Amino acid sequence: MNKFIIFCIPLVWLSATPANAADSRPNIIVFYTDDHGHADLSCQGVLDDIKTPNVDALAKSGVLARHGYSTAPQCVPSRAGLLIGKFQSKFGVEANGKTLQGFDRELTIAERLQDAGYMTAQFGKWHLGPGPKITEHGFKHVFNQNSAAPFAANINLDGSDREMSSLHPEMYHVDGCSQAAASIIERYKDDPFFLYVAYRAPHVPLDAPPKYLNRFPGKMPERRRQALAMLSAVDDGVGRITETLAKNSLTEKTLIFYIGDNGAPLKIHKRDAPGGGPGWDGSLNDPLNGEKGMLSEGGMHVPFVIAWPGTIPAGQVLDHPVSALDVAATAADLANIETKSGDFDGVNLIPYLTGKTNEPPHEFLAWRWVAQSAIREGDWKLLRGGDREYLYNLKNDLEEQHDLAGDHPEIADRLREKLSGWASQLDPPGLSNGEMSKAATDYFDFYLNGKPATPRPTNPISKSDSAGSQSGSKKSASAWIVRNGKMDVTSEGLQIAPQTLGTKQTPFITRNGLRLAGPVSVNMVVKTATSGAIGLCWRNSADKGFVAAKRINVGVEKSGQWQTIQTSLPGDSPIIHVRVHLPAGTTSIKSIELKPAHGKTVTLTQ
């Protein structure tokens, strides 16, 4: 008798909770674009050259948030805020180059969802530490492709498992992320999942393949064509992923966010520089004022779409301000995750999107980024930059052209007091956390104070023949110099060829007068006429000359395609001099970035 009772209990338990019981919690997908201006979704109705039919369909099936905001006008802090769900200056990630120790101590929404039984996966740009370490932040699967270089991954394109290691790309990085994400949906269609699809587009280096460039013929700035093409690739990816959801009857079980990380970098002049390296990325913020690096609307008022067919009524346009911080709070509520006060700074948006409440989701939104701070309450916005302060009514002046601080000092005082109270919770507290940079000062002068722009930058590369000697002039010490070769500026970038055909001396470019704290990350986009190697040599302050031990060779192929080279230059003491040796034949260079462990990145245009 006892034996029978013992046997029956498991049968009763199994019948009550079958192994494949349906989970009513929704899947969650976050599409996160990179340096994507407010104007560049066709459903925004601002410009007619952009084509994003799949994102438009997403908005039509749900909500176009007209006043969606990022948490910062820069990549690293905005991503940290999105994934933690708390304003990033509360845990020390205020700007690019700041320590990530605070981020490492926080729980990401991926960790919370993983603990709640969700399958989690990351695709594309991370920018919050080493790629192989992404799994330490709650992502079971990683496909960290964001260029044509090898990348960290523990899954293949088909979604199958592999050991976490460097994976050579098989597809254009936007397409690869889309394909891998669709494969993961197929693999986990019966389980709740959270996908973070962070496309590195249209961020420089601009690298769209002909498939997408050919969709945008006609006369236009080449950087604009590149941005349109890269965003078209993103749109195709959104279509591929939503089609995979539909194929598996998951459309009505999946909540989707589509958000930009910050506004487009215009560099004031929107210079159509050759190649696709640092500078304007071709995206546009119209009709907003300002750009990436500002807390004006152009810096962090971003594309923002939300869809959950069958739950969120279709065809909505939301005019209340919402924040990327709302993603984590919404996901946690829908996943039935227990939270405590202070875990999130956002709110669950679903009641506001389903008609359960008509109140605005937020009493106010506030920001601090280095020397800038801002607050938006309803239609009013107070913006500060160093000692400057501006007040705008965004209902009447979304373009921030009319400063009303002198007309309504009482409103400015009230908002400043509220902003100060909010900023007292930050680390460190206060309305600023640093000085206005020269770039920020120039931006405020031009966009907000109406001062004439400084002259457009000139070509930063100096020509020098093989017999030339290193000049001691200030100009030569702060510019890239071409040696053993001749250089031309073309529509594809800088084209460098040997000084004399058939010579054994191959050209190189060199940059002196540096002070880069090691290790220094190197990112180059090149196209070579011959297979061979790019040689990177460096010199520290104690070195009298270049030595063989301080050279790294990175192989390149004659493929007719742009190749992205990524490596790192070690160094316990600052690197003061760098040479980039090119293979035989002609080499085209789109971009070069030398990013130190801390401090300012050196690029081809600096």
Side-chain angles (χ1 to χ4, degrees):
M1 183 68 177
N2 288 342
K3 197 172 185 179
F4 177 74
I5 293 173
I6 292 171
F7 181 71
C8 284
I9 291 173
L11 286 178
V12 172
W13 178 81
L14 285 170
S15 65
T17 57
N20 295 319
D23 193 323
S24 61
R25 300 175 299 174
N27 306 309
I28 301 163
I29 298 177
V30 177
F31 292 107
Y32 209 51
T33 53
D34 198 0
D35 284 9
H36 182 175
H38 171 268
D40 284 334
L41 286 181
S42 45
C43 58
Q44 299 279 52
V46 178
L47 301 170
D48 58 10
D49 59 352
I50 184 75
K51 297 181 178 68
T52 54
N54 292 299
V55 182
D56 296 350
L58 205 61
K60 188 175 181 181
S61 73
V63 180
L64 175 63
R66 290 282 192 199
H67 297 269
Y69 287 94
S70 172
T71 65
Q74 197 179 44
C75 297
V76 172
S78 64
R79 291 161 197 275
L82 170 83
L83 289 173
I84 302 301
K86 187 159 57 177
F87 195 81
Q88 57 276 357
S89 296
K90 291 184 176 180
F91 52 88
V93 189
E94 181 141 342
N96 286 6
K98 299 294 184 182
T99 176
L100 293 172
Q101 292 177 358
F103 173 78
D104 293 340
R105 289 192 294 267
E106 295 285 335
L107 278 177
T108 67
I109 188 58
E111 289 176 273
R112 295 177 188 272
L113 289 169
Q114 190 175 56
D115 290 345
Y118 274 65
M119 188 290 303
T120 58
Q122 180 273 345
F123 308 86
K125 182 171 176 176
W126 178 242
H127 222 38
L128 292 165
K133 301 291 187 181
I134 297 174
T135 51
E136 296 178 9
H137 296 285
F139 290 100
K140 176 181 175 65
H141 296 305
V142 172
F143 195 85
N144 187 209
Q145 184 180 8
N146 56 80
S147 71
F151 57 96
N154 64 5
I155 55 170
N156 296 300
L157 270 175
D158 63 1
S160 60
D161 292 329
R162 63 189 301 276
E163 290 294 322
M164 175 67 82
S165 60
S166 184
L167 181 63
H168 192 83
E170 298 177 43
M171 303 176 73
Y172 177 53
H173 59 92
V174 173
D175 296 343
C177 291
S178 303
Q179 178 59 56
S183 297
I184 284 294
I185 292 172
E186 293 280 6
R187 177 175 172 181
Y188 290 97
K189 58 190 174 186
D190 296 323
D191 302 307
F193 55 76
F194 169 63
L195 307 186
Y196 174 47
V197 188
Y199 296 113
R200 200 271 297 156
H203 195 292
V204 296
L206 302 172
D207 57 6
K211 169 185 175 182
Y212 297 110
L213 290 169
N214 292 341
R215 294 178 181 179
F216 300 93
K219 187 176 181 180
M220 68 177 72
E222 288 305 312
R223 286 192 169 230
R224 179 61 178 165
R225 194 187 321 279
Q226 281 279 353
L228 296 174
M230 292 177 76
L231 288 170
S232 189
V234 168
D235 189 74
D236 274 16
V238 171
R240 176 176 295 179
I241 289 168
T242 53
E243 286 168 9
T244 305
L245 293 173
K247 172 187 170 185
N248 291 286
S249 302
L250 295 175
T251 300
E252 295 191 355
K253 198 183 177 183
T254 305
L255 169 64
I256 296 177
F257 291 92
Y258 182 103
I259 307 172
D261 71 337
N262 50 248
L266 310 176
K267 308 299 182 183
I268 295 178
H269 302 283
K270 296 194 287 290
R271 179 171 175 256
D272 193 26
W280 176 40
D281 73 342
S283 191
L284 295 169
N285 299 320
D286 300 24
L288 308 180
N289 198 13
E291 59 176 285
K292 177 181 179 179
M294 300 180 72
L295 290 180
S296 63
E297 293 296 286
M300 43 44 159
H301 186 154
V302 295
F304 206 119
V305 171
I306 312 159
W308 187 3
T311 297
I312 297 175
Q316 297 185 65
V317 175
L318 181 68
D319 286 322
H320 294 310
V322 293
S323 168
L325 295 174
D326 298 330
V327 171
T330 302
D333 270 9
L334 295 176
N336 301 323
I337 295 171
E338 289 188 14
T339 59
K340 60 183 184 297
S341 177
D343 280 351
F344 300 118
D345 287 337
V347 301
N348 178 4
L349 289 177
I350 302 305
Y352 302 94
L353 305 179
T354 56
K356 288 186 178 179
T357 177
N358 293 319
E359 297 296 317
H362 299 277
E363 177 191 350
F364 67 90
L365 294 177
W367 299 263
R368 187 184 76 186
W369 186 69
V370 195
Q372 301 176 45
S373 56
I375 183 170
R376 175 169 180 177
E377 181 189 66
D379 295 325
W380 289 101
K381 176 181 175 182
L382 185 76
L383 169 62
R384 294 176 56 86
D387 295 330
R388 312 186 205 190
E389 187 173 271
Y390 312 81
L391 178 70
Y392 300 105
N393 185 309
L394 297 182
K395 181 177 181 180
N396 303 321
D397 182 25
L398 188 63
E399 298 83 0
E400 294 175 308
Q401 295 294 315
H402 305 288
D403 177 17
L404 301 177
D407 297 334
H408 298 283
E410 75 288 352
I411 297 177
D413 290 344
R414 178 174 58 78
L415 290 179
R416 189 186 316 108
E417 182 178 359
K418 185 171 286 190
L419 179 60
S420 297
W422 172 83
S424 69
Q425 307 169 55
L426 306 182
D427 184 18
L431 291 174
S432 68
N433 184 23
E435 301 296 325
M436 288 280 283
S437 66
K438 183 183 183 305
T441 300
D442 288 346
Y443 289 170
F444 271 62
D445 284 347
F446 177 73
Y447 290 109
L448 303 178
N449 288 75
K451 293 184 179 181
T454 54
R456 285 169 53 149
T458 57
N459 190 346
I461 296 287
S462 297
K463 296 184 181 182
S464 174
D465 62 24
S466 59
S469 61
Q470 179 69 39
S471 167
S473 71
K474 183 177 179 181
K475 178 181 178 182
S476 295
S478 61
W480 291 92
I481 304 293
V482 179
R483 299 285 192 179
N484 298 342
K486 51 188 178 181
M487 183 271 295
D488 291 305
V489 178
T490 73
S491 61
E492 288 196 320
L494 297 174
Q495 193 174 83
I496 299 171
Q499 189 75 23
T500 305
L501 292 176
T503 181
K504 292 184 178 180
Q505 288 187 318
T506 57
F508 65 91
I509 62 173
T510 180
R511 177 71 184 266
N512 204 349
L514 302 170
R515 192 167 182 82
L516 303 176
V520 176
S521 298
V522 180
N523 189 306
M524 292 182 61
V525 179
V526 302
K527 185 191 297 183
T528 60
T530 59
S531 297
I534 300 284
L536 293 149
C537 304
W538 68 97
R539 189 163 63 87
N540 302 109
S541 54
D543 299 327
K544 294 183 179 180
F546 289 93
V547 295
K550 292 183 177 179
R551 174 169 177 146
I552 294 173
N553 292 321
V554 182
V556 289
E557 299 292 333
K558 176 187 175 182
S559 64
Q561 299 293 324
W562 291 106
Q563 303 170 64
T564 299
I565 294 171
Q566 292 180 321
T567 188
S568 180
L569 309 182
D572 296 328
S573 60
I575 293 174
I576 64 168
H577 194 174
V578 172
R579 285 180 176 176
V580 181
H581 290 265
L582 306 173
T586 300
T587 298
S588 295
I589 303 177
K590 263 190 179 183
S591 64
I592 299 175
E593 290 182 339
L594 305 177
K595 183 175 182 180
H598 53 82
K600 185 178 179 180
T601 297
V602 172
T603 70
L604 196 62
T605 58
Q606 293 176 320

